[in-house]
Amino acid sequence: CRGCGLCCYEKDRRRGSVTTNWHAPCRYLEVSTRRCTVYAERFRVCPECRRMTLLHALFTPWLPASCGYVRRFRPRAARTTGS
């Protein structure tokens, strides 16, 4: 993880697509530092927080190309978007 915090925004799931709502960060995200204020306990404290797995890294459409997991496990996707 590169600690970008981009996965810590609400996702709008409609008609099979997922859109990130950049105006709605997780209540535990410190937006100015892009750090989670409950990181060590995030999975217990925040029901929306999901553990990143290899399958998520490979197939989750809302992860940005700059995500460390996308860059590591989907290098072609990261290159085609110019990140």
Side-chain angles (χ1 to χ4, degrees), residues 3 6 15 31 42 65 83:
L6 295 177
R15 291 181 236 133
V31 178
R42 66 194 181 281
S83 295

Side-chain angles (χ1 to χ4, degrees), residues 39-54:
Y39 187 82
E41 302 176 69
R42 66 194 181 281
F43 302 122
R44 184 180 62 77
V45 174
C46 184
E48 293 85 24
C49 193
R50 301 287 185 253
R51 187 175 307 276
M52 185 56 61
T53 66
L54 178 58

Side-chain angles (χ1 to χ4, degrees), residues 15-81:
R15 291 181 236 133
S17 67
V18 180
T19 305
T20 301
N21 181 349
W22 299 113
H23 300 289
C26 172
R27 66 179 161 236
Y28 301 109
L29 179 67
E30 178 61 48
V31 178
S32 63
T33 63
R34 296 183 175 184
R35 299 291 181 213
C36 178
T37 59
V38 295
Y39 187 82
E41 302 176 69
R42 66 194 181 281
F43 302 122
R44 184 180 62 77
V45 174
C46 184
E48 293 85 24
C49 193
R50 301 287 185 253
R51 187 175 307 276
M52 185 56 61
T53 66
L54 178 58
L55 288 176
H56 287 128
L58 288 170
F59 301 110
T60 300
W62 49 260
L63 289 173
S66 60
C67 170
Y69 293 105
V70 172
R71 294 175 67 86
R72 171 68 173 97
F73 297 110
R74 289 190 270 166
R76 180 180 289 166
R79 279 194 310 268
T80 59
T81 59

